[in-house]
Amino acid sequence: MIIASENESETDGNPTPKSCATYPWPSFPVRLTPCPGYCFPNCLQLFFTHFLFSSASLRFSEAQKHAILGWAKALKAPDVPSLYAVKKMGDRVEKLVGDPTVKIVSASGNIFYMNKVHTAIARDYANPLTRFAMSDYARDGGKGMSQVQNGKKMMVDVPSQVSSPAVRVNGQIFFSNELLCCIDGSLFIPTHFHYGADKKSSLSLDATGSTHVSSELHALGHQVVITEVPRVLSPLKEFSLSCAPSGWANGRMVYAVPLIIFMDDVSGNVSKQWNKHHVIYMSNANLPREMIEKEFCIRFVTSSPHATPMELMAAMNDSINNAAETGVDAWDCKHNEEILLCPLIR
C-alpha cells in the first residue's frame, strides 16, 4: 500500500531540494546567539575557541593553545578569552552533553575504554549535516543496487521487529505487526515499510523494469482475509485507524539504525616500528554511500593493545544490545521532535 510521498512522510518543514547546490545539507544559515542570563561573558568567543581546540582531526598542545591566544591578543583582537576560561567552558559543555566514554573490564581482566553506541547515533540524528542525508527506510531499486538501502536484505530479510517499525500518515503514527483498519474497512498487518519502485516497473520485489525509485512509501504485510498467498504488497495511503495503538513509543516516531561495524589492527606508533592495536569503527548505514566514505561519518568506538579482538567485539555487542533493548532517546533536527532509535548490526 502507498503511504505517502517522501516529502509528506519524512519532512514536515522545508527540506533541501535535490536541485540545491548544497544538497543534502541544508541551505539556510545557522545563527548562534548568546542565551539570556548565560553565566559566561563573551560566550560565543569561548564556544568557538573551545570548538577549535577540540577538533577531532587537529591535536593542539598546551603550548600551541597559548601561542594561538597570544597571537590573537597581539593583533588586538577583541574579547580574546584566556585559556583558563576556555577550559572552564569545556568542563561545562562536557557536563551538559555527558561523557560518551565508558570503562570496560573484560572477563580476563583487560581494561579498555569504549565510546557508547547510543551516543553516536543520537548525535547523527541531531546533526543537520547527517540527518538530512539519511534514508529512514529501505528502497526498492529493482535489480540495481547503489546504496545500502537498495539491498533485498534491508527490505524483506531483516526481521520486522528490527526494521524501522513506524510511519506517519496524515499526522498519525502506525506501527508494524499491528492490526490496521483501512478507509475501505479492510484490515491489514504491515511487516516492513520501504520506498517503492517507479510506477513503470512492477511493484514486486523481483522487479526487472526501470530502477528509478519513487518517493512513495509502501508497506509489505498481510491482509486479514482467507487467502493462499502468504504476503502481499499493496498501497498504504488508505490507512485510517490503528486497531491496536502502540504505547511503548509514547507517541514518538521509531527508526531503526543499521550499523556497519569494522575491526582492524593498526600501529600505535608514527614510526615504522610496529605496535599493534586492535580498533573498532562504526558507520551509520542509513547514510548514503557518498557520506559513509567520509572520515566525518566514521565513528571511532574503541581500541586496545592488550584486549583481544573477541573481547573488544563482545563489549561492542553488549553496547548495541543494551541500546536496542531500551531504545535511544534522540532529537530529530529534521522534524523538530523527539524520537526513539533502535540500532541493529547490518
Side-chain angles (χ1 to χ4, degrees), residues 10 41 57 106 122 139 152 159 165 170 192 198 200 222 229 240 253-254 283 311 319 335 338:
E10 285 195 351
S57 299
S106 66
R139 291 183 179 271
K152 180 176 179 290
N170 298 326
H192 295 82
D198 190 88
K200 296 180 180 180
H222 306 275
V229 180
S240 63
M253 282 292 295
V254 183
S283 297
E311 289 175 335
S319 181
H335 301 104
E338 184 179 340

Side-chain angles (χ1 to χ4, degrees), residues 15-124:
T16 304
K18 293 186 177 181
S19 58
C20 180
T22 62
Y23 179 84
W25 295 278
S27 58
F28 53 83
V30 177
R31 298 180 181 179
L32 296 176
T33 56
C35 301
Y38 197 70
C39 62
F40 285 97
N42 304 324
C43 60
L44 285 183
Q45 290 82 352
L46 283 170
F47 171 77
F48 285 118
T49 306
H50 168 70
F51 187 78
L52 172 64
F53 290 165
S54 302
S55 301
S57 299
L58 296 175
R59 301 288 182 172
F60 290 94
S61 65
E62 294 297 309
Q64 290 173 331
K65 294 177 182 179
H66 279 290
I68 292 174
L69 296 178
W71 171 79
K73 291 179 180 178
L75 294 182
K76 307 297 183 181
D79 302 325
V80 178
S82 64
L83 188 58
Y84 172 79
V86 174
K87 291 181 178 179
K88 190 175 179 181
M89 175 71 163
D91 294 339
R92 180 173 177 84
V93 171
E94 181 178 346
K95 184 178 179 180
L96 290 173
V97 302
D99 188 354
T101 306
V102 293
K103 180 180 178 181
I104 304 295
V105 180
S106 66
S108 60
N110 288 322
I111 298 176
F112 57 94
Y113 294 84
M114 182 178 68
N115 292 327
K116 292 179 283 190
V117 172
H118 72 268
T119 302
I121 62 177
R123 291 179 178 178
D124 280 345

